[in-house]
mmCIF file of all heavy atoms in Angstrom:
data_model
loop_
_atom_site.group_PDB
_atom_site.id
_atom_site.type_symbol
_atom_site.label_atom_id
_atom_site.label_comp_id
_atom_site.label_asym_id
_atom_site.label_seq_id
_atom_site.Cartn_x
_atom_site.Cartn_y
_atom_site.Cartn_z
ATOM 1 N N LEU A 110 126.510 47.537 -44.152
ATOM 2 C CA LEU A 110 126.099 47.997 -45.476
ATOM 3 C C LEU A 110 125.710 49.466 -45.376
ATOM 4 O O LEU A 110 124.856 49.824 -44.570
ATOM 5 C CB LEU A 110 124.939 47.155 -45.998
ATOM 6 C CG LEU A 110 125.260 45.678 -46.198
ATOM 7 C CD1 LEU A 110 124.016 44.898 -46.582
ATOM 8 C CD2 LEU A 110 126.343 45.499 -47.245
ATOM 9 N N SER A 111 126.364 50.282 -46.193
ATOM 10 C CA SER A 111 126.151 51.725 -46.102
ATOM 11 C C SER A 111 126.465 52.387 -47.439
ATOM 12 O O SER A 111 127.418 51.998 -48.122
ATOM 13 C CB SER A 111 127.064 52.317 -45.019
ATOM 14 O OG SER A 111 126.967 53.716 -44.988
ATOM 15 N N HIS A 112 125.697 53.383 -47.776
ATOM 16 C CA HIS A 112 125.972 54.170 -48.974
ATOM 17 C C HIS A 112 126.713 55.463 -48.618
ATOM 18 O O HIS A 112 126.907 56.310 -49.470
ATOM 19 C CB HIS A 112 124.673 54.477 -49.720
ATOM 20 C CG HIS A 112 124.127 53.280 -50.409
ATOM 21 N ND1 HIS A 112 124.611 52.831 -51.614
ATOM 22 C CD2 HIS A 112 123.177 52.390 -50.049
ATOM 23 C CE1 HIS A 112 123.964 51.744 -51.967
ATOM 24 N NE2 HIS A 112 123.090 51.453 -51.027
ATOM 25 N N ARG A 113 127.125 55.597 -47.369
ATOM 26 C CA ARG A 113 127.893 56.774 -46.915
ATOM 27 C C ARG A 113 129.045 56.305 -46.033
ATOM 28 O O ARG A 113 128.997 56.388 -44.810
ATOM 29 C CB ARG A 113 126.992 57.732 -46.143
ATOM 30 C CG ARG A 113 125.974 58.479 -46.982
ATOM 31 C CD ARG A 113 126.626 59.525 -47.894
ATOM 32 N NE ARG A 113 127.560 60.409 -47.228
ATOM 33 C CZ ARG A 113 127.242 61.567 -46.634
ATOM 34 N NH1 ARG A 113 126.002 61.969 -46.635
ATOM 35 N NH2 ARG A 113 128.173 62.289 -46.053
ATOM 36 N N LYS A 114 130.089 55.828 -46.650
ATOM 37 C CA LYS A 114 131.238 55.294 -45.915
ATOM 38 C C LYS A 114 131.969 56.369 -45.129
ATOM 39 O O LYS A 114 132.609 56.082 -44.129
ATOM 40 C CB LYS A 114 132.173 54.577 -46.878
ATOM 41 C CG LYS A 114 131.510 53.354 -47.499
ATOM 42 C CD LYS A 114 132.398 52.683 -48.511
ATOM 43 C CE LYS A 114 131.648 51.507 -49.126
ATOM 44 N NZ LYS A 114 132.461 50.800 -50.110
ATOM 45 N N ASP A 115 131.855 57.591 -45.566
ATOM 46 C CA ASP A 115 132.530 58.696 -44.875
ATOM 47 C C ASP A 115 131.902 59.024 -43.526
ATOM 48 O O ASP A 115 132.504 59.739 -42.721
ATOM 49 C CB ASP A 115 132.560 59.946 -45.757
ATOM 50 C CG ASP A 115 131.181 60.381 -46.222
ATOM 51 O OD1 ASP A 115 130.313 59.515 -46.454
ATOM 52 O OD2 ASP A 115 130.972 61.594 -46.371
ATOM 53 N N LEU A 116 130.739 58.494 -43.228
ATOM 54 C CA LEU A 116 130.092 58.752 -41.947
ATOM 55 C C LEU A 116 130.571 57.797 -40.847
ATOM 56 O O LEU A 116 130.236 57.985 -39.681
ATOM 57 C CB LEU A 116 128.569 58.642 -42.074
ATOM 58 C CG LEU A 116 127.907 59.660 -42.995
ATOM 59 C CD1 LEU A 116 126.403 59.426 -43.043
ATOM 60 C CD2 LEU A 116 128.225 61.085 -42.555
ATOM 61 N N HIS A 117 131.348 56.795 -41.221
ATOM 62 C CA HIS A 117 131.819 55.798 -40.262
ATOM 63 C C HIS A 117 133.156 56.205 -39.669
ATOM 64 O O HIS A 117 134.007 56.773 -40.345
ATOM 65 C CB HIS A 117 131.903 54.422 -40.926
ATOM 66 C CG HIS A 117 130.566 53.939 -41.372
ATOM 67 N ND1 HIS A 117 129.755 53.183 -40.571
ATOM 68 C CD2 HIS A 117 129.869 54.148 -42.515
ATOM 69 C CE1 HIS A 117 128.630 52.939 -41.207
ATOM 70 N NE2 HIS A 117 128.668 53.510 -42.387
ATOM 71 N N ARG A 118 133.327 55.909 -38.392
ATOM 72 C CA ARG A 118 134.562 56.235 -37.694
ATOM 73 C C ARG A 118 135.467 55.015 -37.669
ATOM 74 O O ARG A 118 135.052 53.928 -37.289
ATOM 75 C CB ARG A 118 134.267 56.650 -36.255
ATOM 76 C CG ARG A 118 133.426 57.890 -36.167
ATOM 77 C CD ARG A 118 134.248 59.068 -36.514
ATOM 78 N NE ARG A 118 134.376 59.909 -35.352
ATOM 79 C CZ ARG A 118 134.465 61.210 -35.434
ATOM 80 N NH1 ARG A 118 134.454 61.801 -36.583
ATOM 81 N NH2 ARG A 118 134.589 61.911 -34.349
ATOM 82 N N GLY A 119 136.688 55.213 -38.061
ATOM 83 C CA GLY A 119 137.674 54.152 -38.062
ATOM 84 C C GLY A 119 138.996 54.727 -38.519
ATOM 85 O O GLY A 119 139.068 55.867 -38.972
ATOM 86 N N ARG A 120 140.049 53.966 -38.405
ATOM 87 C CA ARG A 120 141.378 54.452 -38.777
ATOM 88 C C ARG A 120 141.619 54.361 -40.282
ATOM 89 O O ARG A 120 142.141 55.279 -40.897
ATOM 90 C CB ARG A 120 142.447 53.656 -37.999
ATOM 91 C CG ARG A 120 143.874 53.991 -38.348
ATOM 92 C CD ARG A 120 144.236 55.418 -37.925
ATOM 93 N NE ARG A 120 145.609 55.714 -38.271
ATOM 94 C CZ ARG A 120 146.003 56.295 -39.409
ATOM 95 N NH1 ARG A 120 145.115 56.666 -40.296
ATOM 96 N NH2 ARG A 120 147.275 56.514 -39.635
ATOM 97 N N PHE A 121 141.248 53.208 -40.888
ATOM 98 C CA PHE A 121 141.506 52.991 -42.305
ATOM 99 C C PHE A 121 140.256 52.473 -43.015
ATOM 100 O O PHE A 121 139.449 51.763 -42.422
ATOM 101 C CB PHE A 121 142.608 51.928 -42.505
ATOM 102 C CG PHE A 121 143.948 52.334 -41.983
ATOM 103 C CD1 PHE A 121 144.386 51.851 -40.757
ATOM 104 C CD2 PHE A 121 144.784 53.166 -42.705
ATOM 105 C CE1 PHE A 121 145.626 52.200 -40.258
ATOM 106 C CE2 PHE A 121 146.027 53.523 -42.223
ATOM 107 C CZ PHE A 121 146.452 53.042 -40.997
ATOM 108 N N LEU A 122 140.156 52.804 -44.304
ATOM 109 C CA LEU A 122 139.172 52.224 -45.208
ATOM 110 C C LEU A 122 139.923 51.777 -46.452
ATOM 111 O O LEU A 122 140.606 52.578 -47.084
ATOM 112 C CB LEU A 122 138.098 53.233 -45.611
ATOM 113 C CG LEU A 122 137.184 52.821 -46.779
ATOM 114 C CD1 LEU A 122 136.346 51.599 -46.422
ATOM 115 C CD2 LEU A 122 136.300 53.979 -47.213
ATOM 116 N N ILE A 123 139.807 50.497 -46.788
ATOM 117 C CA ILE A 123 140.371 49.971 -48.026
ATOM 118 C C ILE A 123 139.218 49.861 -49.012
ATOM 119 O O ILE A 123 138.272 49.105 -48.785
ATOM 120 C CB ILE A 123 141.015 48.577 -47.815
ATOM 121 C CG1 ILE A 123 142.084 48.641 -46.723
ATOM 122 C CG2 ILE A 123 141.597 48.062 -49.126
ATOM 123 C CD1 ILE A 123 142.587 47.276 -46.275
ATOM 124 N N ASP A 124 139.286 50.621 -50.099
ATOM 125 C CA ASP A 124 138.202 50.647 -51.075
ATOM 126 C C ASP A 124 138.789 50.927 -52.454
ATOM 127 O O ASP A 124 139.737 51.701 -52.576
ATOM 128 C CB ASP A 124 137.181 51.726 -50.710
ATOM 129 C CG ASP A 124 135.803 51.471 -51.292
ATOM 130 O OD1 ASP A 124 135.711 50.971 -52.435
ATOM 131 O OD2 ASP A 124 134.806 51.768 -50.608
ATOM 132 N N ASP A 125 138.206 50.315 -53.471
ATOM 133 C CA ASP A 125 138.706 50.485 -54.832
ATOM 134 C C ASP A 125 138.037 51.621 -55.593
ATOM 135 O O ASP A 125 138.494 51.998 -56.661
ATOM 136 C CB ASP A 125 138.557 49.181 -55.627
ATOM 137 C CG ASP A 125 137.109 48.753 -55.783
ATOM 138 O OD1 ASP A 125 136.310 48.963 -54.840
ATOM 139 O OD2 ASP A 125 136.770 48.191 -56.835
ATOM 140 N N ARG A 126 136.970 52.160 -55.058
ATOM 141 C CA ARG A 126 136.243 53.221 -55.760
ATOM 142 C C ARG A 126 136.084 54.452 -54.873
ATOM 143 O O ARG A 126 136.042 54.346 -53.661
ATOM 144 C CB ARG A 126 134.876 52.726 -56.202
ATOM 145 C CG ARG A 126 135.013 51.590 -57.189
ATOM 146 C CD ARG A 126 133.696 51.230 -57.771
ATOM 147 N NE ARG A 126 133.895 50.118 -58.682
ATOM 148 C CZ ARG A 126 133.146 49.890 -59.720
ATOM 149 N NH1 ARG A 126 132.132 50.666 -59.979
ATOM 150 N NH2 ARG A 126 133.390 48.874 -60.504
#
Side-chain angles (χ1 to χ4, degrees):
L110 297 174
S111 175
H112 287 280
R113 289 290 310 271
K114 295 177 182 181
D115 56 326
L116 296 179
H117 297 269
R118 297 286 245 213
R120 176 67 180 93
F121 295 101
L122 168 64
I123 303 169
D124 203 323
D125 63 324
R126 297 188 181 209

